[in-house]
Amino acid sequence: MNISDRLSDYFNLSLSNIEKKLNLSNGYISNYKNGKIKNPSKLVQSLREMKLNPNYFLTGEGSPELVPTQQQHIKTIAESVVGRFIPFLDQKASAGSGKELLDVDSCDRFICIPDSAAREDMYAIKVEGDSMYPTLKNGDVVVCEVAGWHGDGIYVIKTREFAFVKRVILQPDGYQVISDNALYPPYQVSPDEDTFIVGKVCYAIVQM
């Protein structure tokens, strides 16, 4: 289910009537779903005023109605609106053996990051494996800017079948791919059609 489905199921109305009920402009929900609206602040505020849980409608997590403690948490988001919702892929980018990375367009889950940290074409993805330990642990979340090469650092890289989170250094004959965990040896890859630099990891949400 996506945001349109959750809103339609809850209100039992057409999207145009839901937009009227929430005091949104015509086409607002579709524009947000299609990525034309990056920050759904008006939707968040309208849902909060109806004592509904914006996180449920945006991500599918939780329940539609707010409990008192949730209302306090959502108030911070809705009133400050200093964040932007970015796609949170269901797939994992491996810090070990690799997992398939699907198209961002297939995503219907989102997380909120600060506006000051937000850039165009960003997404979040969960890390799997221990090869980037202690920098990143299994289950940590990284936020990646889909913009190719931007200097040495930690990147999401993709082969024909798998995606990885690794430290990457540019060398004259290609890229050196490094695991921060010394148990995993570094290796060389050529910048060709079999290895694609998706984007640099800008931020990480780590477990304590």
Side-chain angles (χ1 to χ4, degrees):
M1 292 180 67
N2 55 43
I3 184 171
S4 299
D5 298 329
R6 287 187 285 271
L7 287 167
S8 297
D9 283 352
Y10 183 83
F11 289 103
N12 195 26
L13 295 169
S14 67
L15 288 183
S16 60
N17 285 329
I18 292 171
E19 287 166 341
K20 291 178 182 177
K21 189 176 184 68
L22 296 176
N23 295 316
L24 302 173
S25 59
N26 185 42
Y28 184 100
I29 295 170
S30 295
N31 286 335
Y32 170 68
K33 180 182 172 183
N34 294 330
K36 295 180 180 178
I37 294 176
K38 301 294 185 182
N39 188 346
S41 57
K42 292 182 180 179
L43 174 60
V44 170
Q45 180 68 28
S46 295
L47 290 169
R48 187 185 70 84
E49 289 174 353
M50 296 181 68
K51 299 192 184 302
L52 296 176
N53 181 9
N55 191 58
Y56 166 78
F57 294 100
L58 291 170
T59 70
E61 297 178 358
S63 59
E65 286 83 15
L66 288 171
V67 297
T69 54
Q70 286 178 312
Q71 293 181 39
Q72 294 174 1
H73 290 303
I74 296 300
K75 182 178 180 182
T76 303
I77 298 174
E79 292 184 351
S80 59
V81 191
V82 293
R84 179 188 297 179
F85 287 90
I86 63 171
F88 185 8
L89 301 187
D90 289 331
Q91 295 74 37
K92 299 179 177 67
S94 179
S97 59
K99 287 289 184 181
E100 185 177 5
L101 179 65
L102 299 184
D103 192 335
V104 173
D105 292 339
S106 68
C107 177
D108 65 355
R109 299 177 63 209
F110 300 85
I111 66 169
C112 187
I113 63 172
D115 257 351
S116 59
R119 304 171 194 171
E120 293 298 322
D121 297 324
M122 299 184 84
Y123 67 82
I125 190 167
K126 187 172 289 188
V127 175
E128 183 178 69
D130 66 349
S131 73
M132 286 300 291
Y133 181 85
T135 307
L136 297 170
K137 301 184 290 295
N138 183 54
D140 288 348
V141 173
V142 294
V143 176
C144 172
E145 182 182 17
V146 187
W149 182 255
H150 275 285
D152 298 348
I154 297 176
Y155 280 82
V156 175
I157 61 175
K158 189 179 185 299
T159 65
R160 288 183 179 272
E161 297 180 346
F162 302 109
F164 303 86
V165 177
K166 299 288 185 182
R167 191 174 299 278
V168 182
I169 297 175
L170 180 63
Q171 297 187 330
D173 55 348
Y175 299 110
Q176 184 179 35
V177 181
I178 301 170
S179 299
D180 284 3
N181 188 335
L183 295 175
Y184 297 82
Y187 58 91
Q188 295 287 126
V189 297
S190 299
D192 55 28
E193 60 182 11
D194 291 326
T195 302
F196 176 67
I197 300 291
V198 177
K200 195 171 188 178
V201 172
C202 303
Y203 307 98
I205 303 170
V206 300
Q207 303 173 83
M208 299 301 292

